[in-house]
Amino acid sequence: MQDLTVVLDTAVRDTLAYLRTADPDAAADLAELRRAHLVRPSVVVVGETKRGKSSLINALLGVPGLSPVDAAVTTAAYLDFVPGDTFAARAWLPDGAEVPVDDLNEWATGKRRARRIEVTHPAPLLRYLSLLDTPGAGGLDPAHATIALAAVRRATALLFVADASAPLSKPELDFLAAATERVDAVVFALTKIDAYPQWRTIAADNRELLQAHAPRFAAAPWFPVSARLAELALDDLPELVEESRITPLQHALVELAGRGHQLRLANVLRAARGDLARLQDNAEARVRAATADAGGQAEARAERGALAARKRTESRQATLRLATEIQRARVATVGHLRTRIGEIQHELSEKIDTSGTGGLPDDVDTRLQAIAADVSERLEDTSRRIAEQILVDTDLSTVSLRHAVTTVPPRGAAGDNVLIALSAGGIALVAGRGAALGIAALGGAGGLLLPFAGIGLGLAAGGYVLYRRKVHNDRRQAQTWLRDVLAEARAALTDEISQRFTDLQYSLSVALDDTIERRLREIDAQIAEIDAAAAEDAAGRARRRAAAQQERDAAATRLRQADEALLRARALTPAPIDDDRETRR
Ligand SMILES: Nc1nc2c(ncn2[C@@H]2O[C@H](COP(=O)(O)OP(=O)(O)OP(=O)(O)O)[C@@H](O)[C@H]2O)c(=O)[nH]1
Ligand SMILES: [Mg+2]
């Protein structure tokens, strides 16, 4: 059987070649989409504190001590390991500023506070994927888990780290369940096997626990590893490499990264599918126009005219409905924010009364981060829902929607940008670094691209407030401080939310107008075709018919090829987002 990557690659190339003559605009957009889809896969390393996440990352990269490991101090920031010629690091501060990092240890362990740290390194594994080290989740403060989950949503795959000291705990299982709602591919690592000779029993226990609590992963492979042995091997005991068992895990991750590439190629094809179907339909209509007798032609013309009139009315209705939906969603989201801030206020106010003001700014900061992550997620879901609904309502889901919204600049370089990519074939999120670059890189695409930024900016504003104002030890003054800080943060976040909805409404209405306009032009062209055919003699009509038939067949061939490749992609890879729409066709 031919390799799936080759099948997909060939289908994408053939489709592009065909579209270059049949519809140059669509071809240009798809070519952009393919380029932008060369975005690298990212594996997010998650697990409870002290399970050995940072040590494992160092072992995988072959660089002891790269991600700071300390028995006493916890990883406190998100560390994003990306490829680069040399080792370098930079941090994003709570107020959004970007600074070079000289002492990674200080930053990573929270002595200096950063939202995110990007570390470039020439380690070979990073050529295939980037790795994100996260602060331990689960068991901890629930706010921490929310923030970790927000990072997880952006992942191509998860590397779930547990250690061999004990079977999976309840918080670990809960976190896994929440994390994998969004991410399909999970690789499990069982660390510290050098220290726990009974690790095989633990691995068996874990499999049973998964069978009971997360059956989807009952058969998932566990990779037993020892970062300690890997480090010794690098020192001067190379014979320990095998015993460290790091290599199989490295290979598995590279394989997974390769699969990400296939999935993305499939997404390009899925976007192209809408264009191919449209071209086939148009050619078919021209065949009919050249075939019909005089009576049939008059009928067809009347039908087309009525369709054009209906489209115009629908366009106005869709714009209205869009405005209503957006308004409703805005009110709901701001209401949700108010409730969440109220909860924090209540919780922390009680904490001041019972245990004083120690650590208050950190508490507020962590909770605001959690809220920002939560609200960002809501915003994304809402945007997708509205976009989908508008498309289905206006019967545009069958029309290739294409509009690049390049007017909105990427915000907050902190990597929390998301693109919502809508195409006739489905809806997907393009997230993280890729999206930040993608907004500029994707001049257009085989679908609608909605730039969407997380609300990191409002969050930064919240953080900034914290740094500007000093909290007092006096409890009454601390209560006032808490109220003021939360009020300011709420105002900043409310602004952000409103801005996002304004952006969304603008993007969607421009895209709607554009799509309907294009559809109307196509209908006009078809009416002109009917008129031209009517004016010709029988021989002329036959020629027209033959030409149209040839075009239709060419489109049909490409469509078949795309569908076959997509079918195979489905059989061999975990089901990507929104597959059922295609099956229904
Ligand atoms: N014996 C042994 N100890 C390990 C191994 N991997 C990590 N450790 C130890 O486990 C402790 C925690 O390791 P980290 O890598 O910091 O764990 P982490 O999950 O990143 O911890 P947090 O960032 O605090 O959540 C450290 O003391 C490590 O030395 C291993 O393979 N074998
Ligand atoms: Mg760590």
Side-chain angles (χ1 to χ4, degrees):
M1 194 150 72
Q2 214 181 359
D3 176 58
L4 178 61
T5 311
V6 177
V7 171
L8 287 168
D9 243 342
T10 314
V12 168
R13 233 192 356 258
D14 291 353
T15 303
L16 270 174
Y18 167 71
L19 286 177
R20 268 189 204 108
T21 47
D23 187 342
D25 279 355
D29 290 347
L30 276 179
E32 289 283 0
L33 187 62
R34 180 168 67 161
R35 267 198 292 285
H37 270 170
L38 294 177
V39 171
R40 328 181 50 262
S42 125
V43 172
V44 177
V45 183
V46 293
E48 267 207 71
T49 49
K50 296 283 161 267
R51 295 304 196 259
K53 298 178 294 295
S54 302
S55 305
L56 179 57
I57 286 180
N58 295 338
L60 286 168
L61 298 180
V63 190
L66 180 59
S67 191
V69 172
D70 192 319
V73 187
T74 316
T75 308
Y78 286 84
L79 286 155
D80 206 354
F81 294 91
V82 300
D85 295 334
T86 51
F87 167 54
R90 52 196 177 140
W92 278 270
L93 303 187
D95 65 2
E98 182 189 331
V99 292
V101 166
D102 35 18
D103 186 343
L104 188 54
N105 213 48
E106 287 229 322
W107 286 92
T109 53
K111 283 188 206 86
R112 301 188 60 181
R113 211 171 162 84
R115 291 269 176 252
R116 178 176 154 265
I117 300 165
E118 186 180 85
V119 183
T120 57
H121 198 279
L125 186 67
L126 292 177
R127 269 187 254 138
Y128 301 93
L129 47 95
S130 40
L131 285 171
L132 185 71
D133 194 1
T134 65
L140 276 175
D141 198 326
H144 276 122
T146 310
I147 301 167
L149 282 173
V152 159
R153 298 180 80 234
R154 315 276 196 260
T156 311
L158 291 189
L159 178 53
F160 190 89
V161 177
D163 71 21
S165 68
L168 289 170
S169 65
K170 175 85 170 57
E172 279 177 305
L173 287 164
D174 288 347
F175 182 80
L176 177 68
T180 50
E181 266 172 31
R182 303 283 181 145
V183 183
D184 202 65
V186 184
V187 174
F188 293 87
L190 190 70
T191 59
K192 309 187 190 175
I193 55 169
D194 58 291
Y196 302 97
Q198 77 285 23
W199 63 263
R200 283 192 174 79
T201 322
I202 301 288
D205 288 352
N206 282 348
R207 256 191 289 275
E208 256 171 51
L209 281 167
L210 288 180
Q211 175 72 55
H213 299 282
R216 192 175 128 207
F217 299 111
W222 278 82
F223 288 85
V225 288
S226 166
R228 170 75 38 88
L229 295 181
E231 189 173 341
L232 289 174
L234 281 172
D235 268 356
D236 54 358
L237 296 165
E239 64 275 17
L240 290 180
V241 165
E242 202 157 319
E243 240 174 288
S244 79
R245 294 173 180 249
I246 286 294
T247 319
L249 179 55
Q250 285 170 327
H251 287 172
L253 292 177
V254 169
E255 198 177 310
L256 204 69
R259 210 167 57 162
H261 176 63
Q262 293 176 332
L263 276 178
R264 281 189 300 274
L265 278 176
N267 283 338
V268 174
L269 262 192
R270 192 167 290 126
R273 205 193 172 283
D275 284 318
L276 294 174
R278 178 176 52 85
L279 287 170
Q280 180 182 276
D281 288 352
N282 285 349
E284 176 62 34
R286 292 220 306 283
V287 173
R288 276 202 309 275
T291 310
D293 58 16
Q297 279 168 356
E299 210 173 282
R301 207 164 20 234
E303 222 172 80
R304 298 267 162 226
L307 182 61
R310 213 180 70 215
K311 283 271 167 249
R312 287 199 177 87
T313 330
E314 273 175 8
S315 148
R316 273 193 301 278
Q317 283 168 351
T319 311
L320 259 173
R321 201 161 39 229
L322 179 63
T324 317
E325 283 290 327
I326 297 261
Q327 180 55 19
R328 194 177 300 156
R330 192 195 322 252
V331 169
T333 312
V334 169
H336 175 72
L337 173 71
R338 196 177 309 123
T339 312
R340 292 292 312 266
I341 298 260
E343 285 164 8
I344 301 187
Q345 167 112 38
H346 184 72
E347 181 202 349
L348 294 183
S349 165
E350 277 192 346
K351 199 166 166 190
I352 295 173
D353 283 342
T354 51
S355 44
T357 62
L360 185 58
D362 273 354
D363 278 346
V364 172
D365 188 50
T366 307
R367 278 160 185 74
L368 282 178
Q369 271 196 68
I371 287 191
D374 176 42
V375 173
S376 278
E377 186 168 330
R378 273 178 160 251
L379 277 172
E380 278 170 32
D381 287 347
T382 310
S383 307
R384 279 163 66 140
R385 187 181 51 73
I386 292 178
E388 233 168 350
Q389 199 173 336
I390 296 292
L391 288 187
V392 172
D393 284 0
T394 18
D395 190 30
L396 288 174
S397 44
T398 49
V399 180
S400 168
L401 242 186
R402 184 179 327 111
H403 195 88
V405 188
T406 45
T407 47
V408 187
R411 272 175 233 261
D416 55 358
N417 292 294
V418 176
L419 277 178
I420 298 176
L422 276 161
S423 72
I427 295 190
L429 288 182
V430 189
R433 267 170 70 73
L437 301 172
I439 294 171
L442 287 167
L448 164 69
L449 288 176
L450 301 176
F452 190 92
I455 53 175
L457 217 66
L459 171 65
Y464 183 65
V465 169
L466 295 178
Y467 287 81
R468 214 174 32 184
R469 294 209 179 154
K470 264 199 116 41
V471 62
H472 283 267
N473 290 333
D474 175 75
R475 288 187 187 190
R476 254 220 345 258
Q477 277 173 341
Q479 294 284 10
T480 311
W481 178 92
L482 178 66
R483 215 171 27 245
D484 289 352
V485 164
L486 288 181
E488 274 191 51
R490 195 181 85 187
L493 286 169
T494 304
D495 262 9
E496 282 285 310
I497 291 170
S498 298
Q499 189 61 45
R500 293 295 180 270
F501 277 115
T502 307
D503 290 353
L504 179 69
Q505 182 166 4
Y506 174 75
S507 313
L508 272 179
S509 58
V510 169
L512 261 180
D513 287 353
D514 186 67
T515 307
I516 289 170
E517 221 12 78
R518 251 159 35 96
R519 186 70 192 127
L520 286 175
R521 274 202 306 275
E522 276 174 12
I523 292 173
D524 286 346
Q526 279 169 15
I527 294 176
E529 184 80 20
I530 293 171
D531 289 342
E536 300 243 32
D537 57 10
R541 275 212 289 281
R543 261 197 315 279
R544 270 176 189 281
R545 193 170 56 233
Q549 268 165 351
Q550 206 176 2
E551 277 176 41
R552 181 195 56 191
D553 294 347
T557 307
R558 292 282 79 82
L559 196 55
R560 241 189 340 267
Q561 184 189 16
D563 281 343
E564 274 162 20
L566 283 172
L567 197 67
R568 280 200 50 191
R570 196 173 320 156
L572 290 182
T573 52
I577 314 170
D578 194 22
D579 249 354
D580 46 340
R581 198 178 286 190
E582 239 139 66
T583 357
R584 270 191 264 123
R585 278 210 183 136

